[in-house]
Amino acid sequence: MRDVFVLGVGMHRFGKFLSLGLKDLARVAVWDAIRDAGVDARRIGCAYVGNGLAGLMTGQEGIRGQVVLRDAGLGGFPIVNVENACASSSTAFRGAWLEVASGMCDVALALGVEKLSHESTAKSIEALATDADVEATAGMGIQFPAYYAMKLREYMAATGATTRDLARVVEKSSFNGSLNPYAHFRKPLSPDEVLASRLIADPLTLYMCAPISDGAAAAILVSAEVAAQRCAQAVKVAAVSLGSGRYRRPGEADTTVQRTARAAYEAAGLGPEDIDVVELHDAMAPAELMLVEDLALCEKGGGVKLLDDGTTRITGRRPVNPSGGLTSRGHPVGATGLAQIIELYWQLTGRAGDRQVKSARVGLAQNSGGMVEGDPAATCVSILVRD
Amino acid sequence: MRDVFVLGVGMHRFGKFLSLGLKDLARVAVWDAIRDAGVDARRIGCAYVGNGLAGLMTGQEGIRGQVVLRDAGLGGFPIVNVENACASSSTAFRGAWLEVASGMCDVALALGVEKLSHESTAKSIEALATDADVEATAGMGIQFPAYYAMKLREYMAATGATTRDLARVVEKSSFNGSLNPYAHFRKPLSPDEVLASRLIADPLTLYMCAPISDGAAAAILVSAEVAAQRCAQAVKVAAVSLGSGRYRRPGEADTTVQRTARAAYEAAGLGPEDIDVVELHDAMAPAELMLVEDLALCEKGGGVKLLDDGTTRITGRRPVNPSGGLTSRGHPVGATGLAQIIELYWQLTGRAGDRQVKSARVGLAQNSGGMVEGDPAATCVSILVRD
């Protein structure tokens, strides 16, 4: 396999944009990425387009990528539309990586785009069902907060973490988000404000939960030869590992995130100790406490300690979610995974502005989507390295 | 890139199955393919799942592959859900091929599944829109027959082909379909019967158009090492080329099918003269006359001659659509592309029963989907070789 590099990225700010459609969001991200990479758009050899819910939200079920890329003036190359719920665009990133890594092409476009806001909030929420046959019928598919609440209660019982600890995660991520011009929410929140917000599913309050957002994120992935033309802004993709929920295989205790992270570390030839900056899938912010453990970034039950000693703060040794994470940056399902990659890219190339972390060389992004039997249906762990 | 082989295939018969869901259809195809390949299901290293319209038909927009594979008792490996309208499952086939070819895994599953029949036919038809923003609003997205009719009228004016010639294509494919136990329709039709059926869009009559079908198709793709364990039934994937509609690039006159076929011939190191058996995307059966030309299987305007001299009949030198094609085998959007591959596989391994063609060694499948500016949004051309 050949080395693959991210050479440029683009984003449409995340937020609630009732007047914008999929095409409007995608056009901005795609062309910002192309300009940023400094490649001729005619060199694009393929595109992977991640979207989660346009079928149910807008009726655009088929050829979503072709439709938005045509509007952006692009086409002719192979276009693969991929979907993996909230992990749709990290799956797109992996597809683009594999095309370049395998030698199929030298320049690949990965795009994630989602338009979730709707005059009817109920329509947005219904679209988030998991197994529509089973869960939607039973009213369960839309109960992600309830699922996270159950997991967090178990976690609190096992580790002694308090609801204030959960709120302190939001204090950290909302502060980071306040520094991010691409974030949906830019208000720093105190633990008291987080705890005083409406209870969603005990112990989760409103401000601990990711919002329903619109947005788009794109990246240009290239071969070493193309990257050499602008090596100052090339960031190597050291690993992109995709896993799916493990079911009917009793006897294995690890989660999909744990397994997928292990695979990514192995592929990158790196360990958790090498990671300088992390973007992780905090659809409910306090999940960060469990996820740093699943990613082997701390010992069992050590998530709160990382908050206490400042390790995961933006000024710490290993900042987590410098972008603000899903809760502050926002969560346009099919664009979230690439937004994480983009944040790492900006951090590793020193372009993160007010939220720039210090001397980061290796970044890790973890993006998960859907749910089967209590485990994410898809998890993608990517590791990026700036030489 | 490594050599990749199809080692086993499975299908759920195409047809109208109001009482069956996506999971029921997928389960049959997947396990038939696994058993056929003789591989331990635990060796599956990844799955690509193609589906076109489950979001709009059933509300199952997210993680469709995980949902149907969980039901089949499978999971844990990377699952990528892909969509390219009527070319969704050839796109899935290409993804599985790339995983094995690049060395990411040794055993990959490609699945295409679609459930289109519904108590409300209108719901099935609405789901087939192309660019929902534009065409559906204008009542154009569902007008594939009108588009084909326009193209065919041009073709008839240019070549002198008659409406009876169009009907003779259906005579051929419906005869083939009558021999195929997996086909939606198994009644051989005479040209008179075809011409007497209801006019849909002049010159197209009802029997020239593919039906709305349900069905599933699956294939197991493996590395040379795995294939060597059952080499009697291994068929090499010599090429899988994917193209998308070419727009805003004036000055190039060729169609997506022409370009994609050229790329496939080049990748396979073969030419049109080497092809022994063809499955092509006859969503409207008479399109075969134009497509054999686009695939360079005859000179310009030579499609009718191939019918006249028997070349494309099941007993001819180069049978086209021995399965019955989309019009007779049926057209469950997200399963059609893999059904073509499966037909080639059966033909090349001598397992096509009553419709077996003679001494075929090289097969070509062409699958197209969606539409942008009068050209298919996605076209996949695959070439399979039996050594």
Side-chain angles (χ1 to χ4, degrees):
Chain A
M1 294 286 227
R2 307 193 299 173
D3 283 346
V4 180
F5 299 82
V6 178
L7 197 62
V9 299
M11 264 184 83
H12 187 291
R13 186 187 167 178
F14 288 3
K16 181 174 181 175
F17 306 109
L18 278 173
S19 64
L20 299 181
L22 274 187
K23 296 172 186 173
D24 305 305
L25 300 164
R27 194 188 313 117
V28 171
V30 165
W31 278 104
D32 278 3
I34 293 170
R35 278 189 291 263
D36 189 35
V39 296
D40 186 329
R42 285 169 292 195
R43 293 192 69 183
I44 296 173
C46 79
Y48 278 69
V49 180
N51 170 269
L53 298 159
L56 297 179
M57 291 305 299
T58 69
Q60 185 66 54
E61 169 108 71
I63 57 164
R64 304 165 199 194
Q66 285 89 338
V67 166
V68 300
L69 291 176
R70 168 178 63 165
D71 179 74
L74 298 170
F77 42 74
I79 297 173
V80 179
N81 298 291
V82 299
E83 188 280 317
N84 251 338
C86 305
S88 291
S89 62
S90 55
T91 301
F93 181 73
R94 180 180 179 275
W97 165 79
L98 185 54
E99 297 277 340
V100 179
S102 65
M104 289 294 288
C105 70
D106 290 321
V107 179
L109 167 67
L111 167 67
V113 58
E114 201 76 61
K115 164 68 181 173
L116 277 183
S117 69
H118 191 275
E119 283 160 33
S120 158
T121 306
K123 187 177 166 93
S124 306
I125 291 174
E126 275 168 22
L128 295 164
T130 55
D131 180 337
D133 281 6
V134 181
E135 286 86 349
T137 315
M140 282 290 289
I142 57 175
Q143 299 299 340
F144 281 105
Y147 164 78
Y148 274 98
M150 286 190 286
K151 297 272 281 187
L152 282 166
R153 280 201 295 271
E154 286 172 21
Y155 178 81
M156 292 163 75
T159 64
T162 65
T163 51
R164 179 159 290 270
D165 292 330
L166 309 190
R168 285 167 60 220
V169 178
V170 184
E171 178 190 25
K172 172 176 74 68
S173 57
S174 65
F175 173 76
N176 296 350
S178 76
L179 305 173
N180 185 353
Y182 291 89
H184 190 156
F185 295 127
R186 301 197 59 189
K187 185 177 180 300
L189 298 165
S190 70
D192 284 339
E193 285 174 300
V194 174
L195 292 173
S197 68
R198 184 157 59 87
L199 191 69
I200 300 295
D202 186 20
L204 288 170
T205 65
L206 182 64
Y207 290 164
M208 296 180 187
C209 304
I212 288 172
S213 311
D214 309 322
I220 299 288
L221 291 84
V222 302
S223 62
E225 196 186 4
V226 177
Q229 295 159 20
R230 287 170 85 93
C231 53
Q233 63 179 69
V235 170
K236 186 174 165 183
V237 184
V240 199
S241 291
L242 179 65
S244 71
R246 185 202 59 241
Y247 20 87
R248 308 204 182 171
R249 291 191 182 177
E252 295 173 293
D254 51 356
T255 67
T256 308
V257 174
Q258 288 173 326
R259 276 188 302 124
T260 311
R262 271 205 306 274
Y265 288 131
E266 192 180 318
L270 296 167
E273 65 284 0
D274 298 308
I275 306 299
D276 299 317
V277 56
V278 176
E279 284 281 313
L280 54 74
H281 196 86
D282 61 331
M284 314 294 148
E288 176 180 318
L289 300 173
M290 300 182 288
L291 287 168
V292 286
E293 190 180 306
D294 281 352
L295 296 169
L297 298 169
C298 67
E299 71 283 14
K300 202 162 165 55
V304 174
K305 184 165 170 291
L306 297 185
L307 268 186
D308 287 342
D309 65 18
T311 301
T312 53
R313 295 192 176 265
I314 206 164
T315 49
R317 159 69 190 95
R318 184 179 288 151
V320 170
N321 287 345
S323 69
L326 278 60
T327 325
S328 295
R329 184 186 51 219
H331 184 26
V333 169
T336 288
L338 268 164
Q340 295 179 321
I341 302 279
I342 289 174
E343 180 67 14
L344 293 184
Y345 178 81
W346 281 332
Q347 293 288 353
L348 298 180
T349 54
R351 291 164 55 190
D354 293 341
R355 66 191 187 287
Q356 180 65 50
V357 307
K358 271 183 290 189
S359 54
R361 202 184 68 83
V362 182
L364 177 147
Q366 171 259 330
N367 182 211
S368 294
M371 198 180 298
V372 275
E373 302 185 11
D375 213 18
T379 290
C380 194
V381 175
S382 306
I383 297 176
L384 270 61
V385 176
R386 176 92 172 95
D387 285 326
Chain B
M1 296 286 229
R2 307 193 298 175
D3 283 345
V4 180
F5 298 82
V6 179
L7 197 61
V9 299
M11 265 183 83
H12 187 290
R13 186 186 166 179
F14 287 3
K16 181 175 182 174
F17 307 110
L18 279 173
S19 64
L20 299 181
L22 275 186
K23 297 172 187 173
D24 304 306
L25 300 164
R27 193 188 312 117
V28 171
V30 166
W31 278 103
D32 277 3
I34 293 170
R35 278 189 292 261
D36 189 36
V39 295
D40 186 329
R42 285 169 293 195
R43 292 191 69 184
I44 295 173
C46 79
Y48 278 68
V49 180
N51 171 268
L53 298 158
L56 297 178
M57 291 305 300
T58 68
Q60 184 67 54
E61 168 108 71
I63 57 164
R64 305 165 198 193
Q66 285 89 338
V67 166
V68 300
L69 292 176
R70 169 179 61 168
D71 179 74
L74 297 171
F77 41 76
I79 297 173
V80 179
N81 297 290
V82 298
E83 188 279 316
N84 252 338
C86 304
S88 292
S89 62
S90 55
T91 300
F93 182 73
R94 179 179 179 276
W97 165 79
L98 185 55
E99 297 276 341
V100 178
S102 65
M104 290 294 288
C105 70
D106 291 319
V107 179
L109 167 67
L111 167 66
V113 58
E114 201 77 63
K115 164 67 181 174
L116 277 183
S117 69
H118 192 274
E119 283 159 34
S120 158
T121 306
K123 187 177 166 93
S124 305
I125 291 174
E126 276 168 22
L128 294 165
T130 53
D131 180 337
D133 280 5
V134 181
E135 286 86 349
T137 316
M140 282 290 288
I142 58 175
Q143 298 300 339
F144 280 104
Y147 165 79
Y148 274 99
M150 287 189 287
K151 297 272 280 185
L152 282 166
R153 281 201 296 269
E154 287 171 21
Y155 178 81
M156 291 163 75
T159 64
T162 64
T163 49
R164 179 160 290 270
D165 291 331
L166 309 190
R168 286 167 59 219
V169 178
V170 184
E171 179 190 25
K172 172 176 74 68
S173 58
S174 65
F175 173 76
N176 296 350
S178 77
L179 305 174
N180 184 353
Y182 291 89
H184 190 155
F185 295 127
R186 301 198 60 189
K187 183 176 180 305
L189 298 166
S190 70
D192 285 337
E193 285 174 300
V194 175
L195 292 172
S197 67
R198 185 157 58 88
L199 191 68
I200 300 295
D202 186 20
L204 289 170
T205 64
L206 182 65
Y207 290 166
M208 296 180 187
C209 305
I212 288 171
S213 311
D214 310 321
I220 298 287
L221 291 83
V222 302
S223 62
E225 195 186 5
V226 177
Q229 295 160 18
R230 286 169 85 95
C231 54
Q233 64 178 69
V235 170
K236 187 174 165 183
V237 184
V240 200
S241 291
L242 179 64
S244 71
R246 185 202 59 241
Y247 21 86
R248 309 203 183 172
R249 290 192 183 178
E252 296 173 294
D254 51 356
T255 67
T256 308
V257 174
Q258 288 172 327
R259 277 187 302 125
T260 311
R262 271 205 305 275
Y265 288 132
E266 192 181 317
L270 296 168
E273 66 282 1
D274 298 310
I275 306 299
D276 299 318
V277 55
V278 176
E279 284 281 312
L280 54 74
H281 195 85
D282 62 331
M284 313 294 147
E288 175 179 319
L289 300 174
M290 299 182 288
L291 286 169
V292 286
E293 191 180 304
D294 282 352
L295 296 169
L297 298 169
C298 67
E299 71 281 15
K300 204 163 165 55
V304 174
K305 183 164 171 289
L306 297 184
L307 269 187
D308 288 341
D309 66 16
T311 301
T312 52
R313 294 192 175 265
I314 208 165
T315 49
R317 158 69 189 95
R318 184 180 287 151
V320 170
N321 287 344
S323 69
L326 278 61
T327 325
S328 295
R329 184 185 52 218
H331 184 26
V333 168
T336 287
L338 269 165
Q340 294 179 322
I341 302 279
I342 289 173
E343 180 67 14
L344 294 184
Y345 178 81
W346 280 333
Q347 292 290 353
L348 298 179
T349 53
R351 289 165 55 191
D354 292 342
R355 66 191 188 287
Q356 181 66 51
V357 307
K358 269 183 291 188
S359 55
R361 201 183 69 83
V362 181
L364 178 147
Q366 171 260 328
N367 182 212
S368 293
M371 197 179 299
V372 276
E373 301 184 11
D375 212 21
T379 289
C380 196
V381 176
S382 306
I383 298 177
L384 271 60
V385 175
R386 176 91 172 95
D387 285 324

